[in-house]
């Protein structure tokens, strides 16, 4: 993968395209994204998000336990409140908020 300053590679483009399609109020875990795409894993998705995720709704991609990425908790919670994402405390309610990729 490139260093994040150039164009994202094809895998990153596929990740970002999927993240753009996650509806407001819904979330996917890093692993969900990888599983949906059928390639990579949670770490690869996390890397893509850290390098190129700023232009997509990054707050909709979280850890499998419903927690946001470290350092982004406050902004993530604010965006979840705006979108009506189901939460339990400081975590997304994965049972209610998880999106399976279907329209």
């Amino acid at each position: 993968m490139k260093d994040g300053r150039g164009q994202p590679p094809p895998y990153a483009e596929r990740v970002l395209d999927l993240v753009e399609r996650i509806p407001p109020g819904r979330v996917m875990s890093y692993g969900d994204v990888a599983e949906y795409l059928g390639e990579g894993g949670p770490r690869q998705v996390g890397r893509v998000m850290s390098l190129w995720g700023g232009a997509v709704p990054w707050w909709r991609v979280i850890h499998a336990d419903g927690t946001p990425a470290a350092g982004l908790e406050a902004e993530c919670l604010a965006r979840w409140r705006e979108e009506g994402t189901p939460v339990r405390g400081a975590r997304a309610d994965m049972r209610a908020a998880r999106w399976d990729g279907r329209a």
Side-chain angles (χ1 to χ4, degrees):
M1 272 191 207
K2 293 186 181 176
D3 64 1
R5 288 176 226 140
Q7 283 292 106
Y11 175 71
E13 292 283 3
R14 290 188 290 278
V15 169
L16 299 172
D17 178 63
L18 177 58
V19 173
E20 286 183 328
R21 292 186 283 136
I22 301 172
R26 305 300 295 274
V27 297
M28 290 181 95
S29 72
Y30 296 101
D32 291 341
V33 171
E35 186 176 325
Y36 181 89
L37 294 174
E39 59 183 321
R43 289 179 188 266
Q44 288 83 2
V45 172
R47 179 85 171 136
V48 168
M49 294 304 294
S50 72
L51 292 175
W52 294 287
V56 298
W58 55 264
W59 57 93
R60 298 179 191 154
V61 182
I62 58 176
H63 297 117
D65 66 359
T67 57
L72 300 172
E73 296 91 350
E75 187 173 353
C76 196
L77 278 169
R79 290 182 184 259
W80 289 347
R81 283 189 202 102
E82 287 173 17
E83 293 186 353
T85 305
V87 296
R88 299 184 107 166
R91 299 172 187 243
D93 180 345
M94 293 303 281
R95 284 188 181 176
R98 180 176 258 147
W99 186 59
D100 63 8
R102 289 185 232 153

